[in-house]
Amino acid sequence: MRPLLKVALVGAGPGDADLITLRGMRYLQEADVVLADALIDPAFRRLVGGVTWIDVGKRGFNTRDGKPNCPQHQITSQLVLYARCGLRVIRLKGGDPSLFARGEEEIAALKAARIEFEVVPGVSAALAAAAATQRPLTRRARGRSVTLQTAVFDEQGQPTLATTFGGVNPQDHSDSLVLYMVGQQIEKTATYLVAQGWAKDTPVVLVSNAGSDRQVVSEGTLISLNQLACRHHGQPTVLTLGVAATPVIGSKVPGLHAVEATNIAA
Amino acid sequence: MRPLLKVALVGAGPGDADLITLRGMRYLQEADVVLADALIDPAFRRLVGGVTWIDVGKRGFNTRDGKPNCPQHQITSQLVLYARCGLRVIRLKGGDPSLFARGEEEIAALKAARIEFEVVPGVSAALAAAAATQRPLTRRARGRSVTLQTAVFDEQGQPTLATTFGGVNPQDHSDSLVLYMVGQQIEKTATYLVAQGWAKDTPVVLVSNAGSDRQVVSEGTLISLNQLACRHHGQPTVLTLGVAATPVIGSKVPGLHAVEATNIAA
C-alpha cells in the first residue's frame, strides 16, 4: 500500500462519498488536515474522524447563500503553510483534480515551495452524469469524440474567451460535447450553441448534482433547453449534447437463446 | 448504503486496484459472478474472494500473446444469461464504463432483456495520466476545452471514420486533445495530426499503463512523437496533446510569507 506523501490533491468524485477512490479515502484517513471544497458530500467529514477539517468555501458557481468564495490564492497559501508545518494535508476537490478544478495554481505553488505531493484522480461529473443516465459518452462508430468544456459569458452573451464549443464549423464539431458549470447560464449557452451551428434538434441532457441523492435529470433538444433550465438553476450542472445525449435503445444480442430463469445461485 | 442491483457495469479505474471507487469495490464483494476485462489489475481477484471470476479476455488493442479476444456479443450474452439465472453479476471494465468501453452494446442488451442494472463510474485513463504527470487537463484561461477521442486507421494511414482530432481547422482545435488506445499506431497518429494543422512543436505526453506500477511516461513535441513511440508500443497508451501536455511551472503564491518549518503536528 502506497503511503500518503506530505500533500495530496484528491478527487472526491462527483457526489456521494462512496464514489471516491479507495486510495483517496485511505489518504483522507491518514491526513492531519483536510482543505475541502464546499460542494463535498458532508458524509466525508463523518467518515474521517480525527482530522482537522477546513471548509475552504469554494462554491465556484454560486455565492447566493451569502457566504463569500474563499479566493484561490488563500486556499493555495493554506495548503503550502500546513505542509511546511510538517502536517499531512489533503486538498479535497469535487470531481477530478485535473478537470476544471484550478489544479494548476495549487501544483505551481507546491512546486515553487519544493513540497512533494501526489494527485489522486477522481470520477468527474461528465462520467457520473453518463453513468446516472445510462448514456455512454462514446458510442461505437458514430460517437467517437467528446469535448469537455466550460462556458463563461459576458453581459452581452458573448463568451469571455475564445470558445469554440467543439468546433466553429458544424462539420468540425466533436460528436458530443459536455459543458461543465452551466447552472447559471443555460439560456446563454443555448443561444450560443445554435449560433455556432449545432442543429436545433440536437439531443441534450442536463444533470445537476450528478452521482448524488439530489440528482436532477432533464432531457430534450437544443431548442427546448430554455424550458428545461428552471429545474437546474443555481445547482452544479453539466450539459451533455450530441450523440452522447441520446438514450440507448434496447437491442437483443444476436445468438442469445432464451433460458429458464432458474436461480442457480441458491 | 445502496445495495447491488442484479447487474452493475463497474469502472475498475485505470490501473492499481485502489483506484476503483468504494461503491465499485463493495459491489464486487457482494457479487456472485465477475466478468472482467483482461487488463484489470490481478490484485482485484485476490481482494474479492468467494465470487466466480470470469476473464472475458477483452484486450482491445493487443492479441499478440496469442490469446484471442472474446467477441463483444459473447460477453454481452454471458452478462444477460447469468443475470437471468438470478445471479448478481458485475461487468468489470478498465477505466470508466462510459468512455471507449463498449458500454452501449451491454446496456442495449440489458434493456432488451428488462434486467435492472446500475452503471458505477470509474477513473478514466486520461484523468489518471493527468494525475500521474501532474499536468491538469484544463488550465485557467488558456486551456478550457479538452477533446477525448480514439484513432483508428486503415492500412494507408487514413482514419477509418470521420475523425477530426479536435477540429479540422487549426483555429477550431480544442485547447487539448487526449487520444486513447494509440499504443499500436503512434506514428500514423503523428502524421495525421500534422496533416490536420496541429503545429509540429505542439507539446505531447505519452502515458502507458497510467495509474499502475508499470506506468511509462514520455514527453516531447508532435514532431518527436515517432522517437518516443518505441517505449510504448503494444501497451495501453494515451496521448495528450496541446495545453494539457505542458508541465506546470513552479510559481509562488502572492502574499505567502515564509514561515519557520516547525512541526506543529508533533
Side-chain angles (χ1 to χ4, degrees), chain A residues 85 100 138 146-148 172 262, chain B residues 85 100 138 146-148 172 262:
Chain A
C85 291
F100 309 114
T138 58
V146 56
T147 298
L148 313 181
D172 297 342
T262 50
Chain B
C85 292
F100 310 113
T138 58
V146 56
T147 298
L148 314 181
D172 297 343
T262 51

Side-chain angles (χ1 to χ4, degrees), chain A residues 200-216:
Chain A
K200 290 179 181 176
D201 62 351
T202 305
V204 300
V205 177
L206 285 168
V207 183
S208 297
N209 303 303
S212 89
D213 289 343
R214 291 162 294 115
Q215 182 171 283
V216 179

Side-chain angles (χ1 to χ4, degrees), chain B residues 40-53:
Chain B
I40 297 291
D41 184 349
F44 276 111
R45 196 163 174 172
R46 294 191 298 273
L47 289 167
V48 291
V51 308
T52 302
W53 190 278

